[in-house]
Amino acid sequence: MNRTARLVVFLVGGAGLVLLLGLAMMRLPAFGGVDHPYRDAAVEAALRRLSPNAVSSVNFDQRGLDTFGEEAILVAAVLGAATLLRTEGQRRQRRLDDVGRIASATRFLGYALLPVTLLIGADVVVHGHLTPGGGFQGGVVLATGLHLMYVAGSYPALRRVRPLAWYEFGEAAGMGTVVVLGLAGIVSGAGYLVNVLPLGQFGRLVSAGTLPLFSVAVGLAVGSGIVVLLAQFLDEYLTIERRPSR
């Protein structure tokens, strides 16, 4: 196919896409209206599953298959970054202690806020089906909280508390748990990632069926994956090439 033919195919396809999007947008409810059928249906479904947080109910229950796909994309992104940033062929030497001058207040706050941030991240993950939050948000808080040690000026300390083998296993374990939850739905005859566990009582920590397990699994995978991803970029940043002598 020559360039002219490709351009014609592109223009025809693009015109069709613009037409379909225009027709779809014309059917949207008026801005500021009170008729929101998807919102009403999502909230009703969340309450039926005894989850006060409708957003987490959508993410980890009503549209769990979409969340599974998003989690798979994150795993693939971490794997791709780790592959592209791996050391090849040349000897490298890490500058572990060369972090520059760190203000005393920054150093103090970095160490002081570390346990607080980790506690908040864990709370956001575990209570994601009850209060605003969930596995994605809490996982990011946990991963970035660890890196307060780097902000405080201690990269060697950061390396000691984040052995990458553990976090690589954590990412795999989180993703594997999501797969197992999906298979449990198939075994029960309900379907992949369908909420099949007992719902418990409204507002309790152990409630809403598979939703809190799904949230914790995603929090483990997201937190571990971001730690691995940031480790690759930090190692690249703190590395200098030692060129072989001629």
Side-chain angles (χ1 to χ4, degrees):
M1 182 181 293
N2 57 33
R3 183 174 182 179
T4 302
R6 290 197 300 269
L7 181 60
V8 170
V9 171
F10 169 76
L11 292 176
V12 172
L17 179 61
V18 170
L19 176 63
L20 292 176
L21 287 176
L23 292 175
M25 293 179 67
M26 292 174 61
R27 301 279 307 268
L28 289 174
F31 180 78
V34 297
D35 184 23
H36 300 284
Y38 183 80
R39 175 205 61 189
D40 298 336
V43 172
E44 181 181 355
L47 295 177
R48 284 201 308 268
R49 289 163 172 81
L50 306 185
S51 173
N53 186 359
V55 176
S56 288
S57 178
V58 171
N59 289 336
F60 304 123
D61 186 359
Q62 302 172 39
R63 303 191 65 175
L65 189 60
D66 294 350
T67 300
F68 172 77
E70 294 167 4
E71 186 58 34
I73 291 173
L74 176 62
V75 172
V78 173
L79 180 61
T83 302
L84 292 174
L85 295 176
R86 70 186 187 277
T87 303
E88 282 189 3
Q90 293 178 323
R91 301 174 60 191
R92 292 176 178 264
Q93 178 183 5
R94 290 182 176 84
R95 295 183 287 115
L96 300 181
D97 299 315
D98 185 13
V99 294
R101 182 178 177 84
I102 305 297
S104 299
T106 302
R107 189 181 300 273
F108 171 77
L109 287 176
Y111 287 120
L113 291 177
L114 173 61
V116 177
T117 306
L118 295 180
L119 183 62
I120 292 174
D123 179 79
V124 170
V125 171
V126 174
H127 295 89
H129 60 300
L130 302 176
T131 56
F136 284 105
Q137 300 91 329
V140 173
V141 173
L142 287 170
T144 53
L146 280 178
H147 290 79
L148 286 172
M149 301 193 75
Y150 175 70
V151 175
S154 182
Y155 185 65
L158 172 62
R159 286 173 60 90
R160 286 194 294 269
V161 301
R162 53 130 231 223
L164 290 185
W166 294 10
Y167 292 95
E168 290 169 356
F169 175 80
E171 184 181 19
M175 189 67 187
T177 301
V178 174
V179 173
V180 170
L181 290 174
L183 294 178
I186 292 180
V187 171
S188 68
Y192 193 73
L193 287 175
V194 173
N195 197 334
V196 294
L197 293 181
L199 298 179
Q201 297 183 13
F202 187 85
R204 296 293 182 89
L205 180 62
V206 181
S207 62
T210 59
L211 200 154
L213 296 178
F214 201 163
S215 178
V216 170
V218 169
L220 177 62
V222 169
S224 299
I226 292 180
V227 167
V228 174
L229 186 64
L230 290 178
Q232 303 301 323
F233 285 108
L234 274 177
D235 283 350
E236 184 73 11
Y237 174 70
L238 296 172
T239 296
I240 57 174
E241 292 186 359
R242 179 187 296 171
R243 297 181 181 178
S245 57
R246 296 181 180 179

